[in-house]
Amino acid sequence: MVATALADAFLAADAWDTGLLTAAGFDVVGPERAYVGHAVRTALETYPRPPVDAPRQLAAVIAASPQLVRLHRTRSTRRPVRVLVRRAVPVRAVPRVSSRLLVDTLPELARELDLTVGRLLWLADTRGWNRRPGSASPLHHHRHEWVRRPGRTPRLLEKPLDMLRRTQRTVLDELLAVLPVHDAAHGFVPGRSVVSGAALHVGQRVVITADLTSFFASVRARSVYGVFRAAGFAEPLAHVLTGLCTHRVPTHVLTAMPPGGDVDDLTFSGDDRLARRADAFLRGVDRIVTDQGLRLNARKTRVPPASVRQSVTGVVVNDRTAPGRREVDRLHAVLHNCAEHGPESQNRSGHPDFRAHLLGRIGWVSRPTPDEPTASARSSSASPGDRAPSPPA
């Protein structure tokens, strides 16, 4: 509380220097010269310029100052430091990516999302209300459903309710869609697909595929927050946007979780040099993945050479991109049985629109083969947000 008040007062000062910051500190906590002096020195030593877009970070730096921590401990038997007045500090964002959501304050963000500030904070769940109540609480913004899949690990569906879904769609279309992504990312990127990603690996000597264990559950809110901060949004806005885009599953849902988890895909390919050093390359990949707080699924790591079938996200890439034979045969069997016994006899998974489901599968196996890239254009491909290092020289 004291550190936050001092941080706000410092950022509201007319200049970032010792005299004005000290005066602002005295206005907030009174004649607490030791506290104010240590806080001013910490702020000036840490930030050569005022961190106008990061008041929360400044407050955390002040609160963690070793001098202030020691001073607080020695004052345990004396009267506490009191905040006499709070200064309102205007939060200004640093230059950021171009998008329709060019806003600097929470009221502006709420207006662009067609919400009140109260509803925006409720949807962002910045106080953790969503994960506290039981299953019947109206505070929840998601419906949860565990889907059992025979022979495979179960999957948790987290379905946002209408208001949150509309808000997330606006954030996706007006902000996230314009953020630059790595050239190796093909999933969920406009103009790219699993086929365009697979095409980069056609005709290679070796194709290395790996899975990330529980990828989506392993992406932490702090990583998402970092994306918004890197995009130029001030702390309060990045904090709220992170809340809109992340979700912590409530305890009552987790306790009903069947055993197992889910994965995501990484693919690398190269010539004889990579084939000779595949194990060393994978050790390097594992170090990078671990540094990002993720884990490789060793059971699903594959290093197939060109002499056997090479598959990338279900697409065969030995000579050209083509759907897997098993998928084609399975679809043929389903279509044949639909003609013989009726479509409902084949809708074993209960798809609400089985016709659309079948048309999607037909479109998948019959989509045209893209032009094969030149050798200089080949590179690694990965799912959204993953960095795929080039094969070693």
Side-chain angles (χ1 to χ4, degrees):
M1 178 68 176
V2 175
T4 300
L6 287 172
D8 289 346
F10 292 168
L11 292 176
D14 293 332
W16 193 250
D17 61 43
T18 301
L20 289 176
L21 294 190
T22 300
F26 286 159
D27 287 344
V28 170
V29 298
E32 297 287 348
R33 295 188 180 276
Y35 263 82
V36 173
H38 288 316
V40 169
R41 281 192 294 274
T42 297
L44 293 176
E45 289 171 0
T46 307
Y47 300 96
R49 293 175 296 278
V52 294
D53 65 328
R56 288 158 50 91
Q57 185 183 79
L58 175 59
V61 167
I62 293 174
S65 168
Q67 298 92 337
L68 285 178
V69 171
R70 285 196 298 271
L71 185 60
H72 176 73
R73 290 172 179 169
T74 60
R75 292 175 54 93
S76 58
T77 59
R78 301 171 58 186
R79 62 180 177 82
V81 176
R82 295 182 178 179
V83 175
L84 304 179
V85 65
R86 290 293 302 270
R87 293 283 187 89
V89 52
V91 178
R92 299 184 296 277
V94 298
R96 56 177 177 265
V97 297
S98 177
S99 73
R100 190 175 72 83
L101 295 180
L102 295 176
V103 295
D104 292 324
T105 66
L106 288 179
E108 290 175 349
L109 177 61
R111 185 165 55 251
E112 289 294 330
L113 296 176
D114 196 23
L115 299 168
T116 65
V117 173
R119 285 188 179 274
L120 173 61
L121 296 178
W122 175 53
L123 290 178
D125 195 31
T126 56
R127 298 293 181 88
W129 298 308
N130 246 287
R131 56 183 177 267
R132 293 174 187 166
S135 58
S137 172
L139 294 179
H140 288 153
H141 302 305
H142 293 80
R143 294 190 302 271
H144 301 90
E145 177 185 351
W146 285 104
V147 178
R148 296 181 180 273
R149 302 179 293 174
R152 303 173 64 188
T153 54
R155 174 175 295 166
L156 175 62
L157 300 182
E158 302 169 68
K159 305 175 182 179
L161 300 181
D162 289 344
M163 185 184 298
L164 179 59
R165 185 174 65 250
R166 290 196 304 269
T167 303
Q168 289 176 334
R169 174 57 63 179
T170 301
V171 173
L172 173 63
D173 293 342
E174 305 296 339
L175 172 59
L176 295 177
V178 304
L179 294 181
V181 296
H182 196 280
D183 289 341
H186 283 259
F188 306 106
V189 178
R192 304 180 191 175
S193 67
V194 293
V195 174
S196 67
L200 298 173
H201 303 281
V202 169
Q204 293 286 10
R205 172 68 177 81
V206 65
V207 174
I208 301 174
T209 59
D211 285 334
L212 297 175
T213 301
S214 301
F215 171 73
F216 289 102
S218 300
V219 177
R220 304 301 183 194
R222 60 177 176 268
S223 299
V224 178
Y225 175 81
V227 170
F228 288 118
R229 290 289 285 132
F233 284 89
E235 275 186 339
L237 296 177
H239 184 58
V240 169
L241 287 167
T242 299
L244 292 175
C245 297
T246 59
H247 172 53
R248 180 175 291 184
V249 180
T251 303
H252 72 274
V253 176
L254 291 176
T255 55
M257 180 179 66
D262 208 348
V263 298
D264 215 295
D265 304 318
L266 292 172
T267 304
F268 312 90
S269 63
D271 54 19
D272 289 335
R273 294 174 298 174
L274 177 59
R276 290 193 298 268
R277 301 182 58 192
D279 290 341
F281 180 79
L282 278 171
R283 287 195 295 270
V285 171
D286 186 61
R287 286 193 296 270
I288 294 173
V289 167
T290 301
D291 287 344
Q292 296 299 313
L294 303 168
R295 290 187 298 117
L296 285 181
N297 187 339
R299 295 185 298 106
K300 293 194 175 183
T301 299
R302 302 285 186 270
V303 190
S307 58
V308 301
R309 194 186 77 132
Q310 296 171 326
S311 175
V312 176
T313 55
V315 181
V316 178
V317 296
N318 290 73
D319 300 312
R320 60 186 178 85
T321 57
R325 187 73 248 172
R326 182 181 302 176
E327 172 61 22
V328 174
D329 291 343
R330 186 183 296 117
L331 180 58
H332 282 168
V334 170
L335 294 176
H336 173 77
N337 291 333
C338 284
E340 290 289 327
H341 310 291
E344 289 306 315
S345 68
Q346 301 303 301
N347 189 13
R348 297 187 178 94
S349 299
H351 292 284
D353 190 343
F354 191 53
R355 173 184 171 84
H357 169 74
L358 288 179
L359 289 175
R361 292 177 63 179
I362 293 170
W364 162 246
V365 302
S366 62
R367 58 188 306 161
T369 302
D371 293 336
E372 182 178 344
T374 62
S376 61
R378 292 184 179 120
S379 65
S380 302
S381 68
S383 296
D386 300 325
R387 292 187 174 270
S390 301

